[in-house]
Amino acid sequence: MYSEAKKPVAQKRKLVTAIPGPKSAELIKRRGEAVSASLGTAFPVFIDHAQGAIIVDVDGNSILDLGAGIAVLNVGHSQNRVAERVKTQIDAFSHTCFMVVPYTGYVEVCEALNRLTPGTHKKKSALFNSGAEAIENAVKIARKFTKRSAVVVFEHGYHGRTNLTMAMTAKNMPYKDGFGPFAPEVYRMPMAYSYRCDACTKPCESSVLSTVIHKIEKEIGASNVACIVIEPILGEGGFIVPCKGFLPGLAKFCKENGIVFVADEVQTGFARTGTMFACEDESIIPDLIVTAKGIAAGLPLAGVTGRAEIMDSIHLSGLGGTYGGNPVACAAALGAIEVIEQDNLVARAKKIGEIMHQELTAMMKKHSIIGEVRGRGAMQAIELVKPGTNEPNPEALTTAIKYCTSKGVLILSAGTYANVIRLLPPLVIEEDLLRDGLSVLDEALASISS
Ligand SMILES: *Cc1c(COP(=O)(O)O)cnc(C)c1O
């Protein structure tokens, strides 16, 4: 049983058993008997408690977390200012359903989203439980507002695992295989993925962007498109940063054709990329912006924020859900947002990004299996290839992750070709600890290259 006495947790990586230790191994066996085999495990230990960037497992190992629960714990594990608000809220009340009896936390989160998201126009928000649910609602809103049905998405994109969002997600295995039929009227367009795109040797302005626009006009008809939904930096797709000009070009096309531009900032949002939202990089002002992951430090919460005239165009009771914007999750969000702003995690993300980019670039010079280093801010990745080619090297990824795991460093994979190592450290990570993790990754790659 966890007791408060175990905190604070030293911000140091330290193994006292092999990974997994005996207690974790026992629990993994027990899990196998009770839990559906469909659920994967990125790191094979059971957690006891955590703080900052360190997870302490049930065997007493201190594991360095460079995944932050998939870009959720931007403020770190067990952030005090989040925990305090959650405890206070749950003592006061834990649920009413916002559409039955409202509460201020919900309104305050919407106010924060309206204030923090790009653009000074009048904005309104609605809250949901998960990224996928929020994406579905953004599509509902765009369709109702435009009275059109087509949804445009992109190759390598990821938007969730519900039926509509499976249709929107690009990758078959593991997300879609055998789960169809999928929702209709979803059209996938090429992505400006410079590392794997011949057209990208030219500026996007004259290549991928014009291909996309041509396809939309000829194959769908711009006047049938309700929305274009895109991640400003692709998350699960392998931290693909669209070529400069691609996002502004799409936004302009949307504006000219009455299409709702939806930014899926579920993974990129809340300071992750060195700006509060990734759209800020090229001064994109989305019509709707979808947030989740980093919003509430691990409590389930998601939001759709956008132009008031779009958000208000839905009939009364057209949107909602039993739990969406749960008061405890809203309390956590207000704590997380307070920490992001007070501790200037935007600047921290930028600094972390500089360190990671510098170290990864140095690794690329040494290890020919690194094909590309990319990302922005504290969202950096390396794409692993067969040396001297750009052929994906998923075997190297498996070996690298195995090595890091054995040393107590949690790193996540990504990419359409399962060959991308993505780094998403909590933004509160101390520099020494970050460098320690990167040096383990360097050793892992050295063990493969040699
Ligand atoms: C994780 C993710 C989603 C889905 O969010 P869930 O909360 O898992 O439903 C959607 N879009 C992006 C970009 C994501 O990273």
Side-chain angles (χ1 to χ4, degrees):
M1 220 19 200
Y2 163 71
S3 82
E4 289 266 351
K6 290 176 178 173
K7 296 205 180 144
V9 174
Q11 293 298 298
K12 265 203 159 35
R13 177 174 62 96
K14 185 167 176 241
L15 298 187
V16 294
T17 72
I19 300 292
K23 287 182 183 162
S24 279
E26 195 56 43
L27 286 164
I28 289 166
K29 235 169 74 195
R30 186 168 147 200
R31 165 190 162 142
E33 289 299 315
V35 180
S36 161
S38 62
L39 298 150
T41 307
F43 200 95
V45 300
F46 272 67
I47 185 171
D48 184 76
H49 60 286
Q51 201 165 30
I54 294 289
I55 290 172
V56 182
D57 75 8
V58 288
D59 291 289
N61 296 301
S62 292
I63 289 142
L64 170 52
D65 181 5
L66 295 183
I70 319 186
V72 167
L73 296 156
N74 292 2
V75 298
H77 287 274
S78 307
Q79 172 58 244
N80 273 337
R81 280 165 281 175
V82 173
E84 287 308 321
R85 283 183 186 251
V86 165
K87 287 176 201 167
T88 306
Q89 179 57 52
I90 206 156
D91 277 345
F93 63 94
S94 59
H95 177 78
T96 58
C97 182
F98 185 70
M99 291 152 302
V100 175
V101 179
Y103 38 90
T104 47
Y106 190 113
V107 178
E108 286 173 350
V109 171
C110 291
E111 287 169 348
L113 287 168
N114 300 343
R115 173 172 64 83
L116 293 169
T117 48
T120 53
H121 54 284
K122 174 76 177 161
K123 281 174 258 171
K124 293 201 178 177
S125 295
L127 303 179
F128 304 97
N129 298 293
S130 69
E133 192 193 353
I135 291 284
E136 292 233 3
N137 277 278
V139 172
K140 281 164 69 172
I141 294 164
R143 282 177 167 163
K144 179 87 186 191
F145 176 73
T146 58
K147 303 185 175 67
R148 303 171 177 180
S149 58
V151 174
V152 167
V153 293
F154 292 85
E155 287 173 357
H156 311 286
Y158 180 87
H159 301 289
R161 295 173 182 263
T162 57
N163 187 264
L164 174 60
T165 57
M166 273 194 295
M168 295 169 70
T169 289
K171 193 176 175 180
N172 175 51
M173 205 56 168
Y175 306 123
K176 303 164 72 163
D177 193 61
F179 298 147
F182 303 111
E185 287 303 303
V186 175
Y187 300 88
R188 196 173 320 286
M189 294 292 147
M191 180 67 206
Y193 179 6
S194 62
Y195 186 64
R196 298 193 176 279
C197 171
D198 297 333
C200 277
T201 53
K202 292 176 275 172
C204 270
E205 213 58 73
S206 61
S207 53
V208 188
L209 177 63
S210 58
T211 305
V212 169
I213 290 173
H214 181 82
K215 281 173 77 72
I216 291 174
E217 285 174 340
K218 298 300 165 205
E219 297 172 18
I220 313 167
S223 62
N224 293 313
V225 178
C227 56
I228 292 183
V229 184
I230 190 165
E231 300 157 82
I233 297 177
L234 278 61
E236 305 302 303
F239 288 13
I240 299 164
V241 184
C243 302
K244 284 277 176 229
F246 189 66
L247 294 171
L250 288 175
K252 181 164 168 277
F253 177 73
C254 285
K255 199 167 189 174
E256 290 165 355
N257 290 280
I259 298 168
V260 177
F261 185 87
V262 182
D264 178 348
E265 291 240 21
V266 170
Q267 193 156 152
T268 49
F270 292 99
R272 175 54 58 187
T273 65
T275 47
M276 189 60 83
F277 292 97
C279 277
E280 292 167 41
D281 182 65
E282 287 183 277
S283 305
I284 309 285
I285 299 183
D287 298 309
L288 297 179
I289 178 162
V290 179
T291 52
K293 294 196 166 94
I295 193 175
L299 275 85
L301 189 70
V304 178
T305 301
R307 297 187 184 281
E309 67 271 24
I310 301 178
M311 295 299 291
D312 284 342
S313 68
I314 312 300
H315 50 281
L316 182 63
S317 299
L319 304 179
T322 306
Y323 298 118
N326 167 274
V328 183
C330 285
L334 293 171
I337 291 166
E338 178 186 299
V339 171
I340 290 168
E341 291 198 282
Q342 280 182 359
D343 297 4
N344 199 358
L345 294 189
V346 165
R348 279 295 301 155
K350 215 173 251 169
K351 174 75 186 158
I352 288 167
E354 280 163 19
I355 295 168
M356 292 201 296
H357 189 80
Q358 193 174 39
E359 292 297 318
L360 295 172
T361 307
M363 285 181 215
M364 184 167 164
K365 293 208 175 89
K366 286 190 286 185
H367 311 305
S368 54
I369 54 170
I370 302 182
E372 188 176 51
V373 176
R374 61 174 178 251
R376 199 155 68 228
M379 186 170 181
Q380 297 279 333
I382 51 177
E383 177 153 359
L384 302 182
V385 294
K386 309 246 159 84
T389 72
N390 72 353
E391 216 180 302
N393 194 343
E395 300 80 16
L397 176 112
T398 308
T399 310
I401 288 192
K402 226 179 233 163
Y403 183 93
C404 291
T405 299
S406 74
K407 301 288 179 186
V409 179
L410 189 171
I411 53 172
L412 298 172
S413 62
T416 299
Y417 313 103
N419 66 329
V420 176
I421 287 178
R422 57 171 155 171
L423 301 174
L424 292 163
L427 305 180
V428 295
I429 192 171
E430 290 165 15
E431 185 170 334
D432 286 355
L433 194 55
L434 175 63
R435 289 189 187 279
D436 170 54
L438 292 168
S439 73
V440 172
L441 176 59
D442 189 20
E443 286 167 23
L445 297 169
S447 77
I448 301 162
S449 293
S450 55

